[in-house]
Amino acid sequence: MFQIRTDLAVETSESRRGEKDVSGFRVETSREGDGIVITKVCIETQKAAKTLGKPRGTYISIEADQMMEEDAGYHREISDVFSRQLKQFLPEDYNNRKILIVGLGNREVTPDALGPKVIDHLFITRHLIQEYGKYLMEFDQCCSVSGIVPGVMAQTGMETVEIMKGIVGETRPDLVIAVDALAARSIKRLNRTIQITDTGIIPGSGVGNYRNAITKEHLGIPVIAIGIPTVVDAATIVADFCSGLMEQMDRTEQEDGMFGSGVYGEKSFEEMVRDLISPKLNTMYVTSKDIDEAVNRLSYTVSEGLNMTFVPQEGNVS
Amino acid sequence: MFQIRTDLAVETSESRRGEKDVSGFRVETSREGDGIVITKVCIETQKAAKTLGKPRGTYISIEADQMMEEDAGYHREISDVFSRQLKQFLPEDYNNRKILIVGLGNREVTPDALGPKVIDHLFITRHLIQEYGKYLMEFDQCCSVSGIVPGVMAQTGMETVEIMKGIVGETRPDLVIAVDALAARSIKRLNRTIQITDTGIIPGSGVGNYRNAITKEHLGIPVIAIGIPTVVDAATIVADFCSGLMEQMDRTEQEDGMFGSGVYGEKSFEEMVRDLISPKLNTMYVTSKDIDEAVNRLSYTVSEGLNMTFVPQEGNVS
Amino acid sequence: MFQIRTDLAVETSESRRGEKDVSGFRVETSREGDGIVITKVCIETQKAAKTLGKPRGTYISIEADQMMEEDAGYHREISDVFSRQLKQFLPEDYNNRKILIVGLGNREVTPDALGPKVIDHLFITRHLIQEYGKYLMEFDQCCSVSGIVPGVMAQTGMETVEIMKGIVGETRPDLVIAVDALAARSIKRLNRTIQITDTGIIPGSGVGNYRNAITKEHLGIPVIAIGIPTVVDAATIVADFCSGLMEQMDRTEQEDGMFGSGVYGEKSFEEMVRDLISPKLNTMYVTSKDIDEAVNRLSYTVSEGLNMTFVPQEGNVS
Amino acid sequence: MFQIRTDLAVETSESRRGEKDVSGFRVETSREGDGIVITKVCIETQKAAKTLGKPRGTYISIEADQMMEEDAGYHREISDVFSRQLKQFLPEDYNNRKILIVGLGNREVTPDALGPKVIDHLFITRHLIQEYGKYLMEFDQCCSVSGIVPGVMAQTGMETVEIMKGIVGETRPDLVIAVDALAARSIKRLNRTIQITDTGIIPGSGVGNYRNAITKEHLGIPVIAIGIPTVVDAATIVADFCSGLMEQMDRTEQEDGMFGSGVYGEKSFEEMVRDLISPKLNTMYVTSKDIDEAVNRLSYTVSEGLNMTFVPQEGNVS
């Protein structure tokens, strides 16, 4: 009807809750620790992927209302849960492997700076391992971690996937982890959800510009995408609101025994809405007023989780 | 009806266009250069102020669709127009006076960084004049310019007006110029309008948090506020959209000879809308995807205008 | 002889080690934890102050070679030691008092960004306490903490002390804590020493520009200064090197039975050195190549120490 | 004797001024505009390269004492001179070619941020030309410009040349332009000299860490390096000072009819100096106190010169 955009599989799956089961599509929910909800969405067939409008693969989301609280202990708990969920996507022998972590997005735009800020806090080890070799590696099961902040196309003139392909071809990592800010459908999920998926990522989708996909297909090695929704598309917020409005109107009209859902003159309610949604709205997004604090805190939570996964150390081991 | 928030007097005045004249309220429009529209809104009586929901005073807005184009020459023209309009608010003998320019807002949040970035590009002269005195002052009619970026309350724990009062009391400027990012009602005005007013400013209003006013009343000296809208309140965008929708519905219903404007069951359309607008929306704002480039460019345009007004130099004089 | 500049009392005291005791001057050294050296320098009389070229007062320095290591646990230990030493300077009933913490220095210059970065990581509570009052205060012995980054004179046109005086006069804190980057004499102390003193601070001294002092005398309330040396004056490094050279030359000449210490033609060695030290060197400083990492890490260590002192919380209490 | 490090060929050539001509080595000097000195150093043979310790190639330096003045007109003049000198290194048909501009260095360290800041201000056109094609290209002789800020090894774990090789292999530019901060020998050249060379660049050399070279040999396409000295090695400043001291001492000793140049006991003066120069000094550099302003201004001067060379536009053409 109206285009509702979300990068979160958990939101896509929610909107399907009422429908009769889509085959090839599974959702599992569990709880951990203090109010942390884990949802696993599996899109198993090409048909389910098409129906749901999301690529085939596994999506895990970690949701916690308190993710925005200033509580160092709680953030450590989330980092820990995140690290354990992430390991489900890694091969058993991932230790000692070479991991390239890419921080997607535009550092100059606060809600889009999540990826670059995560890279800022990583333990980067590739150059140390290359220089000191086994000496460094023997005392720990430490991965070779490299990191890059490629920038966005307006800054570089290049597709992010071009930059990534070049670097992957030259430095030969075993796995790419792409961290990006996402767009949610619902403002209640903003800054409160971490999604991990094995489908790769479409950079810029967090703020709406289509870019070539960063996927195993393009890079030749597995790509795990980690994202946190920091924005809602402005068109989505209006369209979503109108959907809610229509539902209410339909309900009340039916109760009143009135006919049809909002036909006004020659235009349907839907057409009126579509006419009013300005094309300019498509270059707009909604974000929260404390987005600077949210992105700072969440970038630490994610980088801590990545560090405890790939460079376990005294005081870092969960 | 729904709360439509705007910091722009030109938008307040527009919404009054249909009504019979409000006394004590004048609007004049003129054009300059290449597609630059100047609107002067005068709110002359306390009654008009109350009706319009804006303090008594003069508001000049400079609008230009091309304000976002990458054209150094055009930006120079806008700086020039801005400087000339600003001079209307200055006393005739403003040269050699002491001006304190304050960059309001949060540097860490892209659309709120306008004020701090303007301060970055200013010619600061107060310390030079204090040290070298007349020598520096004789070759030019140069103001003593000082600048401050006070930060926001979440960073300082202090109201901006407390910081300003303290600094004004200690350094005794003749005039404060406060630069801030504003909230518009319409996305079409974002990044395309400069407002100058003699009413002072309510900092944080650009992103919605009320703060004590920075006004002549509080500081004891005149305060000229300069603002550019970089955000729209999320609640405003939804409410505004619904107003548009209701107007259309009313029109079509009237054409159809149908009764009443959207009464559905026991709730009016308006009530339904109000119920659906989440309180969370009040901590959200809408901004454009290229807000980083917009704020960078506009901060130069404003600071250039301020520099050519207060520190005219060879190559700076229009 | 040559001007050796240092902001560290521990270095001033070292250079006096050989001399017969200066009365009114005491130095005590102790050790804590893993290689942490605490030195307390007391300058008790005006005469001692004049002799040593440092204002009368107490200076505590915390030195640790490992202060630059990437070890979260060790940094926590240093924060803890720092907090305990800091408490020696606080009145016994400091809890519930109003503290204003000021981050001196220029955020745009990496070694001078220490103060501003400390403010970034503080728990700011003043506005919360003012809004929520006792409710917030009863569950903890929490100080009212406000913070400010005043900028440097080239950015503001104002002396830092003017800005501070204004803010102190308006917001009435009980105590000012001023955090600043310092200049050491020896590169071995860079990024490895925290100095706490009750003498206040001369901002900008870290990179050499004299500014009016931020002291109890000027502000009317006690000022505790916290500093970490991040630079060495370029002139100091050359002069210090030459002093070392002269000592060696003198020693060898005496062994050889040669007369005098380096008289060459009509100029003494000292005069030659002085002639060669370019005045340009006075606008130069020496810093380390990894200064970005050092300042990031140390700003966390200091802010953690301040947070555990003034806003003790679950997970924050030592 | 002592290791004097400089990235500037003009300084290498100066230190050879007294010697009898080195064959395969030419220096030409000319003047332009208001106090701008152009020096062209040609190192034509492998033997000359070895003698001088600089790779074979052409080095043009543009020096101007006023390069630090706040004079927009003068900076435009320097950008213009720079653009004309740069064109000497470009093929005649460079228009419509594909240029990749890389900003080397660490954005977080003020004197090393020159390269990244130049990229910030570039007109990036590659993505526009790829999307809009000839339409855009016909109205101007515009190059396809892409840009990248690869970061430094401590941030990425990768050699810059690895990243560059990957990106060059993937996006196939015709030419790389590498912009970097350099190390000078003399503080008087800091922030006042632009060097252009066709030899490529060794990244990190500006602050001393050796990295694999970014050269035609490694990348397969020509590499033009543009650099501005923003630091002096701390060891160089001390060593250079001592060289000056020794010269003076030698001179005076000879005048006095004294024997030998500084033999003290068993150690020569030179040996004493070498002993005193701490190895720690090798991780230190000297920079100026106003380095933030210098790097901001110079990054504009260089990017303006690059923009007028590669994306000539109305108002941009010299």
Side-chain angles (χ1 to χ4, degrees):
Chain A
M1 194 186 329
F2 308 113
Q3 213 204 330
I4 305 292
R5 163 149 177 256
T6 175
D7 293 327
L8 294 175
V10 69
E11 289 190 332
T12 309
S13 77
E14 268 179 349
S15 65
R16 297 295 167 149
R17 217 165 261 167
E19 300 182 29
K20 66 176 184 297
D21 279 7
V22 178
S23 77
F25 168 60
R26 276 187 308 117
V27 181
E28 291 162 24
T29 301
S30 60
R31 279 167 189 283
E32 287 222 25
D34 188 6
I36 301 175
V37 179
I38 315 283
T39 309
K40 187 173 182 173
V41 175
C42 300
I43 301 180
E44 288 159 340
T45 62
Q46 208 50 49
K47 201 175 148 231
K50 212 176 160 186
T51 311
L52 294 156
K54 285 251 164 296
R56 200 156 52 154
T58 302
Y59 303 78
I60 287 179
S61 67
I62 302 161
E63 289 177 76
D65 272 359
Q66 289 154 277
M67 213 177 266
M68 281 293 294
E69 303 290 310
E70 275 202 35
D71 178 337
Y74 193 71
H75 276 268
R76 185 118 195 128
E77 191 182 337
I78 296 173
S79 295
D80 196 64
V81 169
F82 163 61
S83 173
R84 273 184 283 120
Q85 294 297 332
L86 175 60
K87 281 176 188 164
Q88 296 195 23
F89 289 92
L90 301 176
E92 266 192 39
D93 61 339
Y94 78 88
N95 262 319
N96 303 321
R97 295 288 188 96
K98 297 195 286 175
I99 318 289
L100 170 58
I101 306 182
V102 49
L104 300 173
N106 183 350
R107 191 190 283 279
E108 300 305 310
V109 173
T110 315
D112 206 24
L114 179 82
K117 291 207 166 191
V118 165
I119 304 301
D120 290 349
H121 312 315
L122 290 178
F123 290 150
I124 296 294
T125 59
R126 181 177 180 268
H127 59 308
L128 301 172
I129 288 173
Q130 287 207 337
E131 195 168 346
Y132 304 109
K134 289 194 179 142
Y135 162 73
L136 196 85
M137 303 205 41
E138 74 192 331
F139 79 89
D140 258 324
Q141 291 219 305
C142 169
C143 291
S144 159
V145 178
S146 53
I148 190 84
V149 175
V152 294
M153 203 162 71
Q155 293 163 344
T156 65
M158 299 178 277
E159 299 281 358
T160 303
V161 73
E162 291 179 293
I163 297 172
M164 293 310 301
K165 261 166 140 171
I167 294 174
V168 165
E170 199 63 35
T171 65
R172 302 268 162 222
D174 299 309
L175 175 70
V176 162
I177 296 205
V179 185
D180 201 5
L182 304 179
R185 169 184 178 166
S186 162
I187 57 173
K188 77 167 200 243
R189 280 213 174 73
L190 289 188
N191 313 328
R192 276 164 183 79
T193 307
I194 304 175
Q195 175 172 278
I196 314 172
T197 172
D198 54 9
T199 58
I201 211 161
I202 302 172
S205 69
V207 291
N209 299 311
Y210 181 76
R211 295 285 175 280
N212 294 338
I214 296 181
T215 56
K216 186 176 182 178
E217 200 192 335
H218 281 99
L219 298 186
I221 53 171
V223 179
I224 295 172
I226 292 164
I228 294 181
T230 58
V231 299
V232 177
D233 262 20
T236 290
I237 224 165
V238 170
D240 206 16
F241 183 85
C242 290
S243 299
L245 206 56
M246 278 183 66
E247 263 176 53
Q248 278 225 5
M249 285 164 69
D250 279 10
R251 235 184 344 256
T252 51
E253 282 176 350
Q254 280 156 20
E255 284 163 15
D256 291 359
M258 282 172 66
F259 173 73
S261 70
V263 179
Y264 297 85
E266 268 149 57
K267 280 188 192 172
S268 68
F269 180 82
E270 204 185 314
E271 281 167 332
M272 279 196 296
V273 169
R274 210 169 272 153
D275 287 358
L276 280 167
I277 293 184
S278 139
K280 263 203 173 161
L281 214 56
N282 288 315
T283 64
M284 300 277 149
Y285 62 85
V286 178
T287 192
S288 64
K289 281 164 192 175
D290 60 353
I291 189 64
D292 55 330
E293 291 170 36
V295 166
N296 281 341
R297 200 167 303 136
L298 294 169
S299 67
Y300 272 105
T301 303
V302 170
S303 56
E304 231 181 279
L306 293 170
N307 287 337
M308 62 174 75
T309 308
F310 298 120
V311 195
Q313 290 191 329
E314 236 184 293
N316 250 346
V317 186
S318 53
Chain B
M1 193 185 333
F2 307 113
Q3 211 204 330
I4 304 291
R5 163 148 179 256
T6 176
D7 293 327
L8 294 176
V10 68
E11 289 190 331
T12 309
S13 77
E14 267 180 350
S15 65
R16 297 295 167 151
R17 215 165 264 165
E19 301 180 31
K20 68 178 184 291
D21 278 8
V22 178
S23 78
F25 168 61
R26 275 187 307 115
V27 182
E28 290 161 26
T29 301
S30 60
R31 284 169 183 281
E32 286 224 24
D34 188 5
I36 301 174
V37 179
I38 315 282
T39 309
K40 187 173 183 175
V41 174
C42 300
I43 301 180
E44 287 158 342
T45 63
Q46 208 51 47
K47 199 175 150 233
K50 212 175 161 188
T51 312
L52 293 157
K54 287 251 162 295
R56 202 157 51 154
T58 303
Y59 303 78
I60 287 180
S61 68
I62 302 162
E63 289 178 75
D65 273 357
Q66 289 153 278
M67 214 178 265
M68 281 293 294
E69 304 289 311
E70 275 202 34
D71 179 338
Y74 194 69
H75 276 269
R76 185 119 197 124
E77 190 182 336
I78 295 172
S79 296
D80 195 65
V81 169
F82 163 62
S83 172
R84 272 184 283 120
Q85 294 297 332
L86 175 59
K87 282 176 189 165
Q88 296 195 23
F89 290 91
L90 301 176
E92 264 192 41
D93 61 337
Y94 76 91
N95 262 320
N96 303 321
R97 294 287 188 98
K98 296 196 286 172
I99 319 287
L100 169 58
I101 306 182
V102 49
L104 300 172
N106 183 350
R107 192 192 280 281
E108 300 305 310
V109 173
T110 314
D112 207 26
L114 179 82
K117 291 207 167 193
V118 165
I119 304 301
D120 291 349
H121 312 314
L122 289 179
F123 290 148
I124 296 294
T125 59
R126 181 177 178 269
H127 58 309
L128 301 173
I129 288 172
Q130 288 207 337
E131 196 169 346
Y132 305 109
K134 293 202 176 134
Y135 162 73
L136 196 85
M137 302 206 40
E138 74 191 332
F139 78 91
D140 257 326
Q141 291 219 308
C142 169
C143 291
S144 160
V145 178
S146 53
I148 190 83
V149 175
V152 295
M153 203 162 72
Q155 294 163 344
T156 64
M158 299 179 277
E159 300 281 358
T160 302
V161 74
E162 291 179 293
I163 298 173
M164 293 310 302
K165 260 165 139 172
I167 294 175
V168 165
E170 198 63 35
T171 65
R172 303 268 163 220
D174 300 308
L175 174 71
V176 162
I177 296 206
V179 185
D180 201 5
L182 304 179
R185 167 185 182 166
S186 161
I187 58 173
K188 76 166 204 242
R189 280 213 174 74
L190 290 188
N191 313 328
R192 277 165 181 79
T193 308
I194 304 174
Q195 176 173 279
I196 314 171
T197 171
D198 54 10
T199 59
I201 211 162
I202 301 171
S205 69
V207 293
N209 299 310
Y210 180 75
R211 295 284 173 282
N212 294 339
I214 297 181
T215 55
K216 185 174 182 180
E217 199 192 334
H218 281 98
L219 299 186
I221 52 171
V223 179
I224 295 173
I226 293 164
I228 295 181
T230 60
V231 298
V232 177
D233 262 18
T236 291
I237 223 166
V238 170
D240 205 14
F241 183 84
C242 290
S243 300
L245 206 56
M246 279 182 64
E247 263 176 52
Q248 277 226 4
M249 284 163 70
D250 279 9
R251 232 184 347 255
T252 50
E253 282 174 350
Q254 281 156 18
E255 283 164 16
D256 291 0
M258 282 171 68
F259 173 73
S261 70
V263 179
Y264 297 86
E266 269 150 54
K267 282 187 190 170
S268 68
F269 181 83
E270 205 183 314
E271 280 165 334
M272 280 196 294
V273 168
R274 212 169 269 155
D275 286 359
L276 281 167
I277 293 184
S278 142
K280 263 205 173 160
L281 215 56
N282 288 317
T283 65
M284 300 278 150
Y285 61 86
V286 178
T287 191
S288 64
K289 282 166 190 172
D290 60 352
I291 188 65
D292 56 329
E293 292 171 36
V295 167
N296 280 342
R297 200 166 303 135
L298 294 170
S299 66
Y300 273 105
T301 303
V302 171
S303 56
E304 232 181 278
L306 292 171
N307 287 337
M308 63 175 74
T309 308
F310 297 119
V311 195
Q313 291 191 325
E314 235 185 291
N316 251 347
V317 186
S318 53
Chain C
M1 191 184 336
F2 307 114
Q3 212 205 330
I4 305 292
R5 160 143 181 260
T6 175
D7 293 327
L8 294 175
V10 68
E11 289 191 332
T12 310
S13 77
E14 268 180 348
S15 66
R16 296 295 167 150
R17 214 164 264 167
E19 298 182 30
K20 66 176 185 297
D21 280 6
V22 178
S23 78
F25 168 60
R26 276 186 309 115
V27 181
E28 290 162 25
T29 301
S30 61
R31 280 167 189 283
E32 287 224 25
D34 187 5
I36 301 175
V37 180
I38 315 282
T39 309
K40 187 173 182 173
V41 174
C42 300
I43 300 180
E44 287 158 340
T45 62
Q46 207 52 48
K47 199 174 150 234
K50 210 175 163 188
T51 312
L52 293 156
K54 287 252 163 292
R56 199 157 52 153
T58 303
Y59 303 78
I60 288 181
S61 67
I62 301 161
E63 289 177 75
D65 272 358
Q66 290 153 276
M67 214 179 267
M68 280 295 292
E69 303 290 310
E70 274 202 33
D71 179 338
Y74 193 70
H75 275 268
R76 184 118 195 128
E77 192 182 337
I78 295 173
S79 295
D80 195 63
V81 170
F82 163 61
S83 173
R84 271 184 285 121
Q85 294 297 331
L86 175 59
K87 282 175 189 165
Q88 297 196 22
F89 290 92
L90 301 176
E92 266 193 40
D93 61 339
Y94 77 91
N95 262 319
N96 304 321
R97 294 288 188 97
K98 296 194 288 172
I99 318 289
L100 170 59
I101 307 182
V102 49
L104 301 172
N106 183 350
R107 192 190 281 280
E108 300 305 310
V109 172
T110 314
D112 206 25
L114 179 81
K117 291 206 168 194
V118 165
I119 304 301
D120 291 348
H121 312 314
L122 289 179
F123 290 148
I124 296 293
T125 60
R126 181 177 180 269
H127 57 309
L128 301 173
I129 288 172
Q130 288 208 335
E131 196 168 346
Y132 305 109
K134 289 196 176 140
Y135 163 73
L136 196 87
M137 302 204 42
E138 73 191 333
F139 78 90
D140 257 323
Q141 291 219 305
C142 168
C143 291
S144 159
V145 178
S146 53
I148 190 83
V149 175
V152 296
M153 204 163 70
Q155 294 162 344
T156 64
M158 299 178 277
E159 300 282 358
T160 301
V161 75
E162 292 179 293
I163 297 172
M164 294 310 301
K165 259 167 143 170
I167 294 174
V168 165
E170 199 63 34
T171 66
R172 302 267 164 221
D174 300 308
L175 174 70
V176 162
I177 296 206
V179 185
D180 201 6
L182 304 179
R185 169 185 179 166
S186 161
I187 57 173
K188 79 167 199 241
R189 280 214 174 75
L190 289 188
N191 314 328
R192 276 165 184 77
T193 308
I194 304 174
Q195 175 173 280
I196 313 171
T197 173
D198 55 9
T199 58
I201 210 160
I202 302 173
S205 69
V207 292
N209 299 311
Y210 181 77
R211 295 285 173 282
N212 294 338
I214 296 181
T215 56
K216 186 175 181 178
E217 199 191 334
H218 282 98
L219 298 187
I221 53 171
V223 180
I224 295 173
I226 292 165
I228 295 181
T230 58
V231 299
V232 178
D233 262 19
T236 291
I237 223 166
V238 170
D240 204 16
F241 182 86
C242 289
S243 300
L245 206 56
M246 278 183 65
E247 264 176 51
Q248 278 226 4
M249 285 164 69
D250 278 10
R251 230 179 354 251
T252 51
E253 280 175 352
Q254 280 155 20
E255 284 162 15
D256 291 0
M258 281 171 67
F259 174 74
S261 70
V263 179
Y264 297 85
E266 270 151 53
K267 281 188 190 172
S268 69
F269 180 81
E270 204 184 313
E271 282 166 332
M272 278 196 296
V273 169
R274 210 169 271 153
D275 287 359
L276 279 167
I277 293 184
S278 140
K280 264 205 172 162
L281 215 55
N282 288 317
T283 64
M284 300 277 150
Y285 62 87
V286 178
T287 192
S288 65
K289 282 165 190 174
D290 60 353
I291 188 64
D292 55 332
E293 291 171 35
V295 166
N296 280 341
R297 201 167 303 136
L298 295 169
S299 66
Y300 273 106
T301 303
V302 170
S303 56
E304 231 181 279
L306 292 171
N307 286 337
M308 62 174 76
T309 308
F310 297 119
V311 195
Q313 291 190 324
E314 236 184 290
N316 251 348
V317 186
S318 52
Chain D
M1 192 187 329
F2 308 112
Q3 212 205 329
I4 305 291
R5 163 148 178 257
T6 175
D7 294 327
L8 294 176
V10 68
E11 289 190 331
T12 310
S13 77
E14 269 179 348
S15 65
R16 297 294 167 151
R17 216 164 262 167
E19 300 181 31
K20 70 178 184 293
D21 279 8
V22 179
S23 79
F25 169 61
R26 276 186 308 119
V27 181
E28 290 162 26
T29 301
S30 61
R31 282 168 186 282
E32 287 224 23
D34 187 4
I36 301 174
V37 179
I38 315 283
T39 309
K40 187 174 184 174
V41 174
C42 300
I43 301 179
E44 286 159 341
T45 63
Q46 208 50 47
K47 202 176 146 230
K50 213 177 160 185
T51 312
L52 294 157
K54 286 252 162 295
R56 198 157 54 152
T58 302
Y59 303 77
I60 287 180
S61 67
I62 301 162
E63 289 176 74
D65 272 358
Q66 291 154 276
M67 214 178 265
M68 281 294 293
E69 303 290 311
E70 275 202 34
D71 178 338
Y74 194 69
H75 276 267
R76 184 121 196 127
E77 190 181 338
I78 295 172
S79 295
D80 196 65
V81 169
F82 163 61
S83 172
R84 273 184 282 120
Q85 294 297 331
L86 174 60
K87 282 177 188 164
Q88 296 195 23
F89 289 91
L90 301 176
E92 266 194 39
D93 61 338
Y94 77 90
N95 262 318
N96 304 322
R97 293 288 187 98
K98 295 195 288 174
I99 319 288
L100 171 57
I101 306 182
V102 49
L104 300 172
N106 183 350
R107 191 191 283 279
E108 300 305 309
V109 174
T110 314
D112 207 25
L114 179 81
K117 291 208 167 191
V118 165
I119 304 300
D120 291 348
H121 311 314
L122 288 179
F123 290 148
I124 297 294
T125 59
R126 181 178 179 269
H127 57 309
L128 301 173
I129 289 172
Q130 288 207 337
E131 196 169 344
Y132 304 108
K134 291 198 176 136
Y135 162 72
L136 196 87
M137 304 205 41
E138 73 191 332
F139 78 89
D140 258 324
Q141 291 219 307
C142 167
C143 290
S144 160
V145 178
S146 53
I148 191 84
V149 175
V152 296
M153 204 162 70
Q155 294 163 343
T156 65
M158 300 179 277
E159 300 281 358
T160 302
V161 73
E162 291 180 293
I163 298 172
M164 293 311 300
K165 260 165 139 172
I167 294 174
V168 165
E170 199 63 34
T171 64
R172 303 266 164 223
D174 300 308
L175 174 71
V176 163
I177 296 205
V179 185
D180 202 4
L182 305 178
R185 168 185 181 166
S186 161
I187 56 174
K188 77 166 202 244
R189 281 214 173 74
L190 289 187
N191 314 329
R192 280 167 179 76
T193 308
I194 304 173
Q195 176 174 278
I196 314 170
T197 170
D198 55 10
T199 59
I201 211 160
I202 300 172
S205 68
V207 292
N209 299 308
Y210 180 76
R211 295 287 173 280
N212 294 337
I214 297 180
T215 55
K216 185 175 182 178
E217 200 191 334
H218 282 98
L219 297 187
I221 52 171
V223 179
I224 295 172
I226 292 165
I228 295 181
T230 59
V231 300
V232 177
D233 263 19
T236 290
I237 223 166
V238 170
D240 205 16
F241 183 85
C242 290
S243 299
L245 206 55
M246 279 183 65
E247 264 176 52
Q248 278 225 5
M249 285 164 69
D250 279 12
R251 230 180 354 250
T252 51
E253 281 176 350
Q254 280 157 19
E255 283 164 16
D256 291 0
M258 282 169 67
F259 173 72
S261 71
V263 180
Y264 296 86
E266 268 150 55
K267 281 188 189 171
S268 68
F269 180 81
E270 203 182 315
E271 281 166 332
M272 279 196 297
V273 168
R274 212 169 271 156
D275 287 359
L276 280 168
I277 292 184
S278 142
K280 262 205 174 159
L281 215 55
N282 288 316
T283 65
M284 300 278 150
Y285 61 86
V286 178
T287 193
S288 64
K289 281 164 190 174
D290 61 352
I291 189 64
D292 55 329
E293 290 171 37
V295 166
N296 280 342
R297 199 166 304 136
L298 294 169
S299 67
Y300 273 104
T301 304
V302 170
S303 55
E304 231 181 280
L306 292 170
N307 286 337
M308 63 174 73
T309 308
F310 297 121
V311 195
Q313 291 190 326
E314 236 185 292
N316 251 345
V317 187
S318 53

